[in-house]
Amino acid sequence: MAGSANKMKPKPWTEVATHLVDVAMGRKQADLVIRNGRWVNVHSGEIIPGTDIAITAGRFAYCGPNAGHAIGQGTKVVDAGGRYLVPGLCDAHMHVESGMVTVTEFCRAVIPHGTTSMFIDPHEIANVLGLPGVRLMHDEAVAMPINVHVQMPSCVPSAPGLEHAGAELTVADVAEAMTWENIIGLGEVMNFPGVAANDPVMSGEIAETVKAGKTVGGHYASRDLGLPFHGYVAGGAEDDHEGTRAEDAIARVRQGMKAMLRLGSAWYDVAAQIKAVTEGGIDPRNFILCTDDSHSGTLVHEGHMDRVVRHAISQGLKPVTAIQMATLNTAQHFGLEREIGSIAPGRLADLLIVSDLAQMTIDEVYGRGARLAKAGKLEIDIPAYDYPPTAKNTVKLGKKLKAADFDIAAPQGANEVRARVIGVIENQAPTRALEADLAVEDGLVAMDRRNDICQIALVERHRGTGGVTNAFVSGFGYMEDCAMASSVAHDAHHIIVVGTNKEDMALAVNRLGEVGGGVVLYSRGKELALVEMPIAGLMSDERAEIVAAKAEQLTEAMRKVGCSLNNAYMQHSLLALVVIPELRISDVGLVDVTTFQKVELFV
């Protein structure tokens, strides 16, 4: 049943409603009937055995005990054999760029895992290419055989005054984007202090979104649930995925927000927060599951939203409730309940045939009434999307880096310094603000590999200034002479390099300049792994499985030099994210994200 993706664009319900009625009444035949399934009804919370589903024009026409009246000579009939019929899964908040691949390749990777709807926020490419970059991903999303809705990025740069991105988005840009066909709302509003302070850019962007009747995405990355939180909610944010505790989820739901619980490659925030439902008895209708950031290795080897649902079930949720949080709840939040999120008449015919509900064992995936995947294998062709030359060659270093660029001079006459250190927290986005006493050798501050303190540097890459910000980081566990550099450095996406050896640090950064971006690991002058990402320095133009293999080689190389962190690359890429506490690095310097102020390296 292989086909071409571009033939699957469904007609609006208004154009096919009378045909759906005719099929439901038996006056016309269905295109496809799936018989003898157990209908996972997310509206009623039931599992209904002995159900038939009739599909026509890419939409459900009949869901009931016997669709024999809709079967004609041209109807394809599939026997579900008592297996579960589950709505196609929705990812409510995610960044395609974190997968290291294009929208097309991301879809190829996740469709066999049952994802048929995604709500993507392309603020990574926006930080490099601005509004034209958003438009590129928007247009690619429209061409997909599944539903890929785009949120207009809200914070570029994410923290004005604390970093300089490659572009800047304005209220006028947001207003323009709200007129595009596939923009579903405003992406996560990360500048939460700005919202609480009535910053005119933030309030203006939110107002334009609300005027357009679209959803305002939230991002409140603080544990303070006092007045700043209340001010943020009053400013218009409708959801939030930055909670890490049960009380975070409860606070958001009580204020009328949707609590988005994420399980990404490195963010494990479902288990703690789901206790608000399983132990606290909070109404699950306002809880939504998402991934936020998943790299290609996770997608290819572990899954996507099926992985999240499976995990939520393992934490004590009833399977139907977990599925609701990944389907209907998401659709309702974005005002798309009549289009996606359930198996019900009129909706797009996105469904999964599942043999084991608790394990989310997906046998077949249907999107818009066509079979897209079977037994974990994609059955359709999705043509590659061509990115123009303007989206490439974006790594501009301005000079060839040398080891001396990473020297950190000590205060005059000091034999020892007390330095601020960024502390990585495994499986979480926040960092710790640590301090350490470091030795001084020949006037330069030394790393302390024995105590897991190595060097981090941010290299400006948008304007070719040659600027380097040096600091220290702890948590990677590197034991050998090595350095890893990445042009993926949320959110401004300069180059971050972490290493124990300055010569390797220089080699790694220069290599990314040669290949146009990506992530690379050097040890003792030798390149151990490289994932090229020439599109904006953020995405590969290769197949997802090829990128996953290169990413696995990178992970294995990191292990060999002493790093045992889960998904350490993802942790690495967030070290410049100056909107999540506590301590980050930017092209401006070290930033205390609890006070949103630049701080000195030495205490």
Side-chain angles (χ1 to χ4, degrees), residues 133-466:
V134 178
R135 185 76 208 202
L136 284 171
M137 290 189 72
H138 169 278
D139 292 351
E140 184 181 12
V142 171
M144 292 300 101
I146 60 174
N147 318 303
V148 184
H149 298 282
V150 181
Q151 294 176 293
M152 173 60 185
S154 62
C155 298
V156 178
S158 62
L162 295 177
E163 66 177 357
H164 300 96
E168 183 176 346
L169 295 180
T170 66
V171 175
D173 291 329
V174 170
E176 178 186 334
M178 290 300 148
T179 67
W180 300 351
E181 65 171 304
N182 200 35
I183 293 290
I184 197 69
L186 189 66
E188 53 181 315
V189 181
M190 295 177 285
N191 186 1
F192 53 92
V195 175
N198 277 329
D199 174 84
V201 174
M202 292 295 93
S203 58
E205 290 184 355
I206 292 169
E208 291 295 337
T209 305
V210 174
K211 281 193 289 185
K214 299 183 179 182
T215 306
V216 179
H219 169 119
Y220 184 78
S222 172
R223 296 168 75 89
D224 182 356
L225 298 176
L227 292 183
F229 170 69
H230 288 271
Y232 182 73
V233 179
E238 298 176 72
D239 60 57
D240 188 31
H241 56 274
E242 288 295 337
T244 59
R245 307 166 298 175
E247 55 262 44
D248 295 330
I250 292 169
R252 285 151 176 78
V253 169
R254 283 176 177 170
Q255 295 294 320
M257 302 176 82
K258 298 294 190 294
M260 289 187 174
L261 316 185
R262 65 181 170 188
L263 180 73
S265 291
W267 326 136
Y268 286 60
D269 298 326
V270 175
Q273 294 186 90
I274 207 64
K275 289 181 170 63
V277 175
T278 57
E279 298 178 7
I282 300 296
D283 192 328
R285 288 179 299 173
N286 294 306
F287 287 74
I288 292 172
L289 297 175
C290 69
T291 64
D292 198 0
D293 298 291
S294 295
H295 71 60
S296 55
T298 302
L299 301 177
V300 171
H301 301 302
E302 299 180 46
H304 188 231
M305 285 305 298
D306 58 329
R307 170 177 176 258
V308 186
V309 171
R310 191 180 304 120
H311 174 71
I313 294 169
S314 75
Q315 299 304 312
L317 271 188
K318 293 192 303 182
V320 173
T321 304
I323 291 167
Q324 286 170 326
M325 291 182 183
T327 56
L328 181 62
N329 294 8
T330 303
Q332 290 175 332
H333 179 54
F334 289 102
L336 293 175
E337 185 182 353
R338 288 182 61 88
E339 285 289 292
I340 63 173
S342 67
I343 298 173
R347 278 69 170 178
L348 292 174
D350 303 335
L351 86 156
L352 319 175
I353 298 180
V354 173
S355 51
D356 186 324
L357 200 61
Q359 293 300 316
M360 283 304 291
T361 305
I362 300 171
D363 298 338
E364 298 181 33
V365 179
Y366 290 80
R368 303 169 184 176
R371 195 169 75 191
L372 307 181
K374 182 178 182 181
K377 302 294 183 184
L378 193 69
E379 290 196 326
I380 59 167
D381 174 49
I382 310 177
Y385 188 82
D386 236 357
Y387 275 79
T390 53
K392 301 177 182 179
N393 300 313
T394 63
V395 177
K396 304 177 179 70
L397 299 178
K399 66 179 184 181
K400 190 168 185 177
L401 276 292
K402 300 176 181 177
D405 289 308
F406 305 104
D407 287 345
I408 299 177
Q412 188 70 33
N415 295 317
E416 186 179 77
V417 298
R418 189 161 186 80
R420 289 183 168 87
V421 178
I422 301 170
V424 173
I425 304 174
E426 188 168 23
N427 293 329
Q428 287 196 9
T431 63
R432 292 189 179 95
L434 306 177
E435 295 180 3
D437 294 320
L438 299 175
V440 175
E441 300 172 1
D442 298 324
L444 301 178
V445 182
M447 300 175 236
D448 186 357
R449 193 184 304 178
R450 288 177 301 176
N451 290 308
D452 192 20
I453 296 173
C454 57
Q455 198 162 321
I456 180 172
L458 184 140
V459 181
E460 199 283 329
R461 67 108 160 172
H462 297 305
R463 297 171 181 85
T465 65

Side-chain angles (χ1 to χ4, degrees), residues 17 25 105 192 331 374 403 416 485 497-498 519 525 531 570 593 599:
M25 293 296 294
E105 287 306 311
F192 53 92
K374 182 178 182 181
E416 186 179 77
V497 57
V498 172
V519 56
V531 184
M570 196 71 77
V593 191
V599 293

Side-chain angles (χ1 to χ4, degrees), residues 486-557:
S486 170
S487 57
V488 178
H490 305 272
D491 276 329
H493 297 294
H494 296 291
I495 288 177
I496 288 180
V497 57
V498 172
T500 59
N501 177 279
K502 296 174 187 176
E503 286 77 14
D504 284 333
M505 292 173 75
L507 287 169
V509 173
N510 291 330
R511 181 68 166 134
L512 294 187
E514 293 171 4
V515 300
V519 56
V520 65
L521 179 65
Y522 271 79
S523 180
R524 297 175 183 173
K526 181 181 178 183
E527 181 180 299
L528 300 186
L530 171 67
V531 184
E532 304 94 328
M533 300 185 213
I535 301 172
L538 301 173
M539 296 179 287
S540 172
D541 51 8
E542 295 184 294
R543 290 287 192 178
E545 55 269 27
I546 295 173
V547 179
K550 290 183 176 182
E552 181 57 38
Q553 183 181 356
L554 174 70
T555 301
E556 183 57 35

